[in-house]
Amino acid sequence: MYLVKWFFGILFLLLPAISVCGQDTLLPITYSHIDDCVMQYPKGFALPDNHVRPSDSLPSKWMLSHKPLRLSGNKTPEKLLIDFFPVMEIWGGYDSQTSKLIKQGFMGAGVNLLWKNSLHFFAFAGAGMSAQPAYIDSITSLWGIIPGTATAKPITNGTYQFRHAKVSLAYRLHKYVTAELGYGKNRFGNGIRSLYLDDVASPYPYLRINSHLGKIRYTNLFCNFYDIRGSQGQRDNFVNKYAAMHYLSWDIIPWLQFNAFEAIVFPNRNQNGSGHFFEPNYLNPVIFLRPVEYAVGSPDNSLLGGGLSVRLLKHYRIYANVILDEFLLSRIRERKGWVDNKQGLQAGIVVQQPMNIKHLQIQAEINWVRPYTYYHRNSLQNFAHMNQPLAHALGANFIEYFVRADYFFFRNIRLQANLMYAKIGYDSRGLSYGQNVYQPMHLRPSEFGNVVGQGLFTRVLLLSTTLNWNPDQLSGLSFFASFIYRQSVNVESQNKSFIPTLGIRSQFMPFNRFF
């Protein structure tokens, strides 16, 4: 075991670039949301700090002081630490659009284990029932999933059963290299949204290798996604698809960070689509898979991305990211809206302690994604999983403005407000205008003249406020009250929803409703 450990350590140290975690501690799982940070670990556990979420923000730093309930591991902390914790989300509310009560009840349990700061195991699982607001229920009834969790089994009209789980086993191969095998989610990028890989879809199996050396961090991520169309929610009918991704983060100077991203998505290599056949050429850990793709004569779907993050005057950070699905400069210069020029842009700013208000952070960003980005000629190779986009929750063919404010006060109360305004071009009259990444390419109406917002032009306004009260810092449970106002307007319909909710939840069960 000792020789194997050093073999992998030396192998990855020879790579030209290295991971998403700059800590000299064992990496925990990749958490889905900043809310997960509220359930923290006793002294000795590795804290999440992997540059894939805003862990350096003032609110999240404040919440990192919390500790969970410790049931064992007190006598031998240098060898073994174990924590058990509840996972739950119980809430009720009202949707004015349908004049119906909405609700969700989820119960589960989890365990967090660290052994000699070399092996970290995390898992939770549970089941629940849900009756969601109309705009979410329309997705569930059409695609058979509750966004962000799993497939949904209808019980009665508008009520569904679902299960949700995350599992991770991380092992430190070397001081600078950690391997993580899990079933969960991953996220790359530094915005509210991500144009690379976001955490809005359902969990999936993955292998993640994080490495770091000085100011350079590098991640290899290998994923098993599922195409569940026509499966009727039966696991045996899911079609396997795979992805190999690389993410590089480099702190060039203390106030300037560069990142690069690439991904290859490809279907099962077996002729009948069954079983598990991962293309071995994509196991190459070195960044830039496109030459490998050409070498194997592959028609697979590839994406490239890059970005910068700049800190200014201590309390300000600006960032920008670009994603390229297809790119031909000559076609862009023509300005004719060629269908295969598929790109996305993100720009944002983070302000900490505006007007010297402690524990307040404001973040604003713009996201712009051209039609048909994340598509592919073979829909089994689109950048999606279980009928959900893997990047931005809105798919493609949109421009979005998003503002978020986080404020902490009285040590255990958090207030968050979100404002989203988006212009989206939905599919219409049986044609694909570039928003739904699952639509076949032959349904595109035109090769040229494609612009953001084409199709059924829709304006969506969403205002959300949530007040969280965490009375017991050890349990990780919090009471919350939230209010959502959502308006969707186009030439065919106009929908308005007022959605107040009250409930209690653990911090591993946040629900993303920002779409």
Side-chain angles (χ1 to χ4, degrees):
M1 178 61 70
Y2 183 83
L3 292 177
V4 172
K5 179 178 178 179
W6 276 98
F7 171 79
F8 280 101
I10 293 172
L11 172 64
F12 288 104
L13 283 174
L14 292 175
L15 297 180
I18 334 256
S19 151
V20 203
C21 180
Q23 283 184 236
D24 183 17
T25 52
L26 181 69
L27 277 175
I29 66 162
T30 301
Y31 293 89
S32 299
H33 298 267
I34 189 173
D35 285 339
D36 292 342
C37 299
V38 178
M39 176 64 76
Q40 288 308 314
Y41 309 112
K43 186 176 181 180
F45 273 95
L47 297 177
D49 185 17
N50 54 15
H51 287 256
V52 299
R53 58 167 181 76
S55 61
D56 55 351
S57 67
L58 290 178
S60 60
K61 280 184 177 180
W62 185 85
M63 295 301 268
L64 286 175
S65 63
H66 289 217
K67 297 180 180 179
L69 179 65
R70 298 183 63 181
L71 299 183
S72 61
N74 296 319
K75 296 181 179 180
T76 57
E78 72 281 0
K79 293 183 179 180
L80 178 65
L81 289 172
I82 303 176
D83 280 317
F84 297 94
F85 53 88
V87 179
M88 61 184 297
E89 184 171 40
I90 301 173
W91 55 260
Y94 176 78
D95 182 6
S96 66
Q97 181 177 336
T98 58
S99 299
K100 292 182 179 180
L101 296 178
I102 58 175
K103 59 187 177 181
Q104 180 160 302
F106 180 93
M107 296 294 295
V111 60
N112 195 59
L113 178 150
L114 178 70
W115 180 66
K116 291 185 177 180
N117 202 32
S118 295
L119 185 143
H120 180 220
F121 176 75
F122 170 91
F124 79 80
M129 294 188 300
S130 181
Q132 297 291 340
Y135 78 97
I136 298 176
D137 183 71
S138 62
I139 296 175
T140 302
S141 60
L142 178 63
W143 293 109
I145 52 96
I146 293 180
T149 57
T151 55
K153 180 181 179 181
I155 305 174
T156 59
N157 185 27
T159 303
Y160 299 87
Q161 285 182 335
F162 70 99
R163 293 176 293 179
H164 186 43
K166 293 183 182 180
V167 181
S168 172
L169 178 64
Y171 182 66
R172 185 161 63 179
L173 299 170
H174 186 273
K175 180 179 179 180
Y176 303 109
V177 183
T178 300
E180 178 186 333
L181 183 65
Y183 175 80
K185 305 180 186 182
N186 295 267
R187 190 178 194 275
F188 298 127
N190 45 24
I192 302 173
R193 308 286 205 174
S194 176
L195 302 186
Y196 299 159
L197 174 67
D198 215 327
D199 51 25
V200 295
S202 301
Y204 46 84
Y206 66 88
L207 170 64
R208 179 174 178 139
I209 301 172
N210 298 290
S211 316
H212 77 277
L213 183 62
K215 298 180 180 180
I216 301 176
R217 295 166 297 275
Y218 186 69
T219 289
N220 292 100
L221 181 64
F222 307 101
C223 305
N224 185 169
F225 299 131
Y226 302 120
D227 191 311
I228 65 172
R229 290 173 294 174
S231 68
Q232 303 301 316
Q234 299 299 314
R235 176 63 185 85
D236 293 342
N237 297 329
F238 292 1
V239 177
N240 292 293
K241 53 189 283 189
Y242 307 104
M245 304 184 198
H246 295 151
Y247 183 76
L248 173 89
S249 177
W250 177 22
D251 295 328
I252 302 173
I253 49 181
W255 52 268
L256 177 62
Q257 182 190 80
F258 166 78
N259 70 70
F261 170 79
E262 68 168 346
I264 297 285
V265 182
F266 53 99
N268 192 298
R269 295 304 195 205
N270 285 352
Q271 292 295 324
N272 61 5
S274 63
H276 298 269
F277 188 3
F278 192 99
E279 173 59 59
N281 289 283
Y282 294 144
L283 294 174
N284 184 345
V286 183
I287 203 164
F288 296 130
L289 289 166
R290 198 63 186 262
V292 177
E293 181 195 13
Y294 285 131
V296 298
S298 167
D300 296 328
N301 187 15
S302 63
L303 298 98
L304 294 174
L308 292 172
S309 177
V310 181
R311 290 194 175 277
L312 301 172
L313 302 176
K314 188 177 180 180
H315 296 301
Y316 298 87
R317 178 170 62 88
I318 59 175
Y319 57 92
N321 298 284
V322 60
I323 187 73
L324 304 177
D325 192 350
E326 297 287 346
F327 178 83
L328 190 58
L329 183 58
S330 61
R331 290 293 193 181
I332 292 179
R333 288 175 174 173
E334 290 176 355
R335 298 186 178 181
K336 294 183 179 180
W338 187 45
V339 69
D340 282 332
N341 268 335
K342 300 180 288 184
Q343 306 94 32
L345 298 172
Q346 179 185 84
I349 183 171
V350 180
V351 183
Q352 297 181 350
Q353 297 186 15
M355 297 175 288
N356 293 320
I357 302 175
K358 292 183 178 181
H359 308 306
L360 174 64
Q361 174 177 288
I362 297 177
Q363 185 169 359
E365 72 179 33
I366 300 174
N367 295 289
W368 176 88
V369 180
R370 278 187 53 80
Y372 308 106
T373 305
Y374 308 113
Y375 274 58
H376 198 264
R377 288 174 175 80
N378 179 357
S379 58
L380 283 175
Q381 295 169 249
N382 60 10
F383 201 61
H385 164 63
M386 292 185 68
N387 293 336
Q388 302 154 88
L390 280 167
H392 199 291
L394 297 180
N397 192 18
F398 66 86
I399 183 170
E400 176 199 48
Y401 307 90
F402 205 122
V403 179
R404 169 171 292 172
D406 270 300
Y407 182 58
F408 292 82
F409 51 98
F410 298 123
R411 290 290 299 172
N412 57 357
I413 297 179
R414 174 190 182 188
L415 176 65
Q416 184 183 88
N418 297 278
L419 174 63
M420 183 199 83
Y421 177 68
K423 299 177 182 178
I424 312 168
Y426 288 109
D427 297 339
S428 178
R429 300 177 183 177
L431 296 177
S432 171
Y433 285 95
Q435 186 274 332
N436 181 354
V437 299
Y438 278 94
Q439 289 284 25
M441 298 295 279
H442 70 268
L443 294 179
R444 300 179 301 183
S446 176
E447 185 175 358
F448 295 95
N450 295 280
V451 296
V452 171
Q454 66 183 16
L456 182 60
F457 182 74
T458 304
R459 292 183 174 89
V460 176
L461 173 66
L462 189 149
L463 174 64
S464 165
T465 59
T466 303
L467 183 67
N468 280 285
W469 174 44
N470 180 220
D472 181 5
Q473 297 181 5
L474 296 180
S475 69
L477 297 176
S478 66
F479 295 90
F480 69 93
S482 69
F483 175 81
I484 293 177
Y485 170 73
R486 186 180 187 274
Q487 178 178 323
S488 175
V489 179
N490 56 46
V491 296
E492 296 183 0
S493 64
Q494 179 172 333
N495 297 308
K496 293 182 180 180
S497 297
F498 298 90
I499 309 169
T501 58
L502 287 172
I504 181 173
R505 67 183 174 194
S506 69
Q507 300 305 320
F508 290 100
M509 281 297 296
F511 192 81
N512 189 334
R513 299 179 177 179
F514 306 122
F515 49 84

